[in-house]
């Protein structure tokens, strides 16, 4: 069974850092691009970042560019999101999601999502 | 980035009603448009991809249409389990989602 399990969320002060992880199982991890999508409390979905199967193609939303870094370890079937200089507006449930393609692009969509890990940025 | 505008932002409907949700892109996105359903406390679920292709396991009462800048998601006969929030998402360029449409019980 295909599964994505996020971890690493929690309460953090503004300006501090946090690293999220997503453990994948049930599929060949290095055959697919992966994404982080977030959802602020009571708000809509916001795409955050994507990484290709071989980490050669990476993209970020303007709202996080320069502060967040996506990475993956195909040997460990894991996806990561290093979040630095956190702001109150980064408070959200962070989902990892599996692309249907090797590289995120035209035609990408998400069939599989994790259940999310909650990040709260507050003093 | 391409902006996706959904309308309405919410609607009230009864079981058995035909429901239509629209999504407009700020520029042409061909048919690179996907629809998701999200129930409270759950991850989104893919309903439609490439504007009109029904994802496996999704009931046939759901359908999608459109191309270019204007798209619609139609639920032909609303069922109790369909009360949820629906999002469109474009993948023509840097991924963006619409703001969502909440479908509530009338």
């Amino acid at each position: 069974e295909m599964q994505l399990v996020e971890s690493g969320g929690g309460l953090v002060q503004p300006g501090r850092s946090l690293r999220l992880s997503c453990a994948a199982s049930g599929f060949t991890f290095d055959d697919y691009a992966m994404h982080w999508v977030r959802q602020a409390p009571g708000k809509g979905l916001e795409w955050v970042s994507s990484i290709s199967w071989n980490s050669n193609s990476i993209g970020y939303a303007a709202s996080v560019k320069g502060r967040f870094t996506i990475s993956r370890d195909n040997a460990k079937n894991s996806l990561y999101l290093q979040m630095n200089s956190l702001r109150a507006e980064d408070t959200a449930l962070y989902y990892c999601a599996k692309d249907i393609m090797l590289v995120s692009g035209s035609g990408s969509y998400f069939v599989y999502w994790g259940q999310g890990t909650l990040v709260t940025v507050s003093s | 980035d391409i902006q996706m505008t959904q309308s309405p932002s919410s609607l009230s409907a009864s079981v058995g009603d035909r429901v239509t949700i629209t999504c407009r892109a700020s520029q042409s996105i061909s048919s690179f448009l996907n629809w998701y359903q999200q129930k409270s406390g759950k991850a989104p679920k893919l309903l439609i991809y490439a504007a009109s292709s029904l994802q496996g396991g999704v009931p046939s009462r759901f359908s999608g249409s459109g191309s270019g800048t204007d798209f619609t998601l139609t639920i032909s006969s609303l069922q109790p389990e369909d009360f949820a929030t629906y999002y469109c998402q474009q993948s023509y360029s840097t991924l963006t989602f619409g703001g969502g449409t909440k479908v509530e019980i009338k």
Side-chain angles (χ1 to χ4, degrees), chain A residues 35 37 39 43-47 50 60-62 95 99 104-111 113-115, chain B residues 1 32 34 36 38 41-46 49-50 55 87 89 91-99:
Chain A
H35 300 255
V37 176
Q39 187 168 35
K43 302 297 184 182
L45 300 169
E46 179 187 16
W47 173 80
S50 67
Y60 298 99
Y95 293 102
D99 204 317
S104 176
S106 299
S108 283
Y109 56 85
F110 312 133
V111 178
W113 301 65
Q115 286 306 300
Chain B
D1 288 357
F32 296 114
N34 311 306
Y36 299 85
Q38 187 180 34
K42 300 292 187 181
K45 173 187 174 182
L46 178 71
Y49 62 94
Q55 172 65 11
Y87 295 93
Q89 173 237 324
S91 62
Y92 179 81
S93 66
T94 304
L95 304 183
T96 49
F97 289 89

Side-chain angles (χ1 to χ4, degrees), chain B residues 18-60:
Chain B
R18 182 181 182 88
V19 170
T20 299
I21 297 169
T22 65
C23 181
R24 175 165 288 177
S26 59
Q27 67 183 74
S28 177
I29 58 170
S30 184
S31 295
F32 296 114
L33 191 283
N34 311 306
W35 290 98
Y36 299 85
Q37 174 195 66
Q38 187 180 34
K39 296 183 179 179
S40 181
K42 300 292 187 181
K45 173 187 174 182
L46 178 71
L47 298 176
I48 302 284
Y49 62 94
S52 60
S53 295
L54 191 68
Q55 172 65 11
V58 174
S60 58

Side-chain angles (χ1 to χ4, degrees), chain B residues 11-19 61-62 75-83 86 103-105:
Chain B
L11 64 90
S12 296
S14 301
V15 172
D17 284 353
R18 182 181 182 88
V19 170
R61 62 180 179 273
F62 290 94
I75 309 172
S76 59
S77 177
L78 197 66
Q79 297 302 299
E81 60 268 31
D82 300 336
F83 292 95
Y86 295 83
V103 177
E104 298 175 302
I105 301 172

